[in-house]
Amino acid sequence: MKHFLQLKDFTKEEFDYLFQRAKVIKAMFKAYAIYHPLKDRMLAMVFEKQSTRTRVSFEAGIHQLGGSSINLTTGETQLGRGEPIEDVARVISRMVDLVMIRTFDQSIIERFSAYSRVPVINGLTNQYHPCQIMADIFTFIEHRGSMSGKTVAWIGDGNNMANTWLQAAHLFNFQLHVSTPEGYGIDISQFPEEELSHLQVFKDPLEAVNQADLVTTDVWTSMGFEQETEERKSAFAPFQVNSLLMQQAKDDALFMHCLPAHRGEEVSGEVLEGNQSVVWDEAENRLHVQKALMEYLLLGRLPNS
């Protein structure tokens, strides 16, 4: 049994298979084909952080594969009233086939998975956001092909998205340029040397995006840091992704944002709505890659895929 707690839980070969399956599943979805390989399977979704895209994509996805879902928030479970995570994991995993958790610290999902009898998916933690990066890479492949040898520029907060992009750089063999305000960089102490070899850090965001194939960012204040909002607005102001910044990247560079986006803060409205932006494809592709992921975790590699 496999869990998907962070990107490096899977090999490059497994991701190649998942992207191929996502392409097939997306084509079936577009053709209104009925495909129910997970008939009568149940997905439990545990939300300790609010969500729009994660909930809709997982709930719609399991339904489209023939299964059903249960949505649990912190206030609706004993997890929010102090029951040990290990006990909650043992109970829930005896009643469902798959669990997706969106929570705070990565240690929570790791403790849950250690006692779960069914696969566990990381829907987001403070440290990693692997489902979003799966969707982003699938989106890049759709538009530009392989990421091998490419350059991705991450501008803004050194948060869970930046961490996961760094894991992706090693897995998919591209260079990651990161530019963040002082004091908001990636905590490189948590990464092995082979992953850090794909990282270059720049003080100036204009240098970071120079000749990049993809420019990407996120909100300046992630959930859990709201009390720092005003302080962050001041620190992050020079790191907005705008037309001037995009002009330093390659002419055919793409722009991505995991959403929700704050126009006029981390990204200008002109870039978000511009012809280099693929943010709506990114959002849709959460659905397709997660359907491929759920199918793989429950049924394994299918023949003739």
Side-chain angles (χ1 to χ4, degrees):
M1 182 180 70
K2 289 182 74 73
H3 301 296
F4 187 56
L5 307 186
Q6 53 181 303
L7 215 61
K8 66 182 182 181
D9 286 340
F10 285 6
T11 65
K12 171 66 164 49
E13 288 69 30
E14 286 177 303
F15 281 115
D16 288 343
Y17 168 79
L18 286 170
F19 294 146
Q20 179 58 36
R21 284 301 300 165
K23 182 179 179 181
V24 171
I25 288 170
K26 183 175 183 177
M28 286 192 285
F29 175 78
K30 298 292 185 183
Y32 297 98
I34 296 174
Y35 179 59
H36 288 167
L38 302 187
K39 186 175 184 298
D40 295 332
R41 301 294 186 101
M42 180 66 73
L43 166 70
M45 303 187 297
V46 181
F47 288 97
E48 293 198 289
K49 285 188 173 184
Q50 296 176 331
S51 169
T52 301
R53 279 152 293 279
T54 297
R55 178 173 177 181
V56 173
S57 57
F58 270 107
E59 190 165 334
I62 191 71
H63 175 77
Q64 290 165 15
L65 293 175
S68 303
S69 63
I70 300 172
N71 178 42
L72 300 168
T73 63
T74 302
E76 297 168 336
T77 68
Q78 295 298 331
L79 196 63
R81 292 188 281 272
E83 185 174 11
I85 293 167
E86 293 78 3
D87 292 358
V88 176
R90 282 184 279 206
V91 171
I92 290 178
S93 67
R94 282 172 178 255
M95 299 176 179
V96 302
D97 302 284
L98 192 61
V99 179
M100 186 284 298
I101 303 177
R102 184 176 168 94
T103 186
F104 294 91
D105 197 84
Q106 184 76 10
S107 64
I108 295 173
I109 200 167
E110 289 175 353
R111 288 168 59 194
F112 191 103
S113 64
Y115 287 84
S116 175
R117 296 173 61 163
V118 301
V120 177
I121 298 171
N122 181 351
L124 177 143
T125 64
N126 288 348
Q127 287 75 34
Y128 301 110
H129 199 357
C131 290
Q132 181 64 58
I133 298 298
M134 271 187 68
D136 292 356
I137 293 173
F138 179 66
T139 303
F140 187 92
I141 292 170
E142 281 187 322
H143 286 270
R144 296 288 185 268
S146 171
M147 295 201 72
S148 181
K150 301 294 194 301
T151 298
V152 174
W154 174 264
I155 308 299
D157 194 11
N159 61 9
N160 50 4
M161 284 290 293
N163 291 340
T164 316
W165 271 116
L166 182 50
Q167 289 190 329
H170 174 62
L171 270 168
F172 296 94
N173 189 35
F174 60 85
Q175 288 298 308
L176 180 66
H177 291 183
V178 171
S179 186
T180 69
E182 187 174 354
Y184 297 96
I186 293 177
D187 177 9
I188 61 172
S189 65
Q190 62 182 307
F191 293 97
E193 191 59 37
E194 63 266 24
E195 292 179 3
L196 293 177
S197 67
H198 293 264
L199 172 68
Q200 283 184 268
V201 177
F202 298 82
K203 288 185 177 179
D204 186 345
L206 288 169
E207 294 182 9
V209 301
N210 184 37
Q211 291 300 299
D213 298 279
L214 168 63
V215 179
T216 184
T217 188
D218 193 3
V219 295
W220 290 341
T221 306
S222 299
M223 280 183 284
F225 297 91
E226 289 82 357
Q227 73 281 5
E228 302 176 7
T229 297
E230 292 308 313
E231 181 181 347
R232 283 173 173 258
K233 281 183 179 179
S234 175
F236 282 77
F239 293 82
Q240 181 190 79
V241 177
N242 50 36
S243 295
L244 176 62
L245 209 70
M246 288 299 297
Q247 287 169 11
Q248 308 307 310
K250 288 183 177 176
D251 291 341
D252 65 345
L254 299 176
F255 171 74
M256 292 188 184
H257 191 307
C258 58
L259 303 175
H262 294 173
R263 292 166 174 79
E265 292 190 7
E266 75 277 2
V267 60
S268 68
E270 187 179 24
V271 169
L272 188 71
E273 304 291 352
N275 57 15
Q276 291 174 283
S277 172
V278 291
V279 298
W280 317 120
D281 291 343
E282 275 183 272
E284 178 190 334
N285 282 336
R286 286 287 302 274
L287 172 69
H288 307 304
V289 298
Q290 289 167 189
K291 285 164 71 175
L293 175 64
M294 290 190 286
E295 180 193 73
Y296 179 64
L297 289 173
L298 291 178
L299 303 181
R301 190 180 292 249
L302 301 182
N304 302 318
S305 297

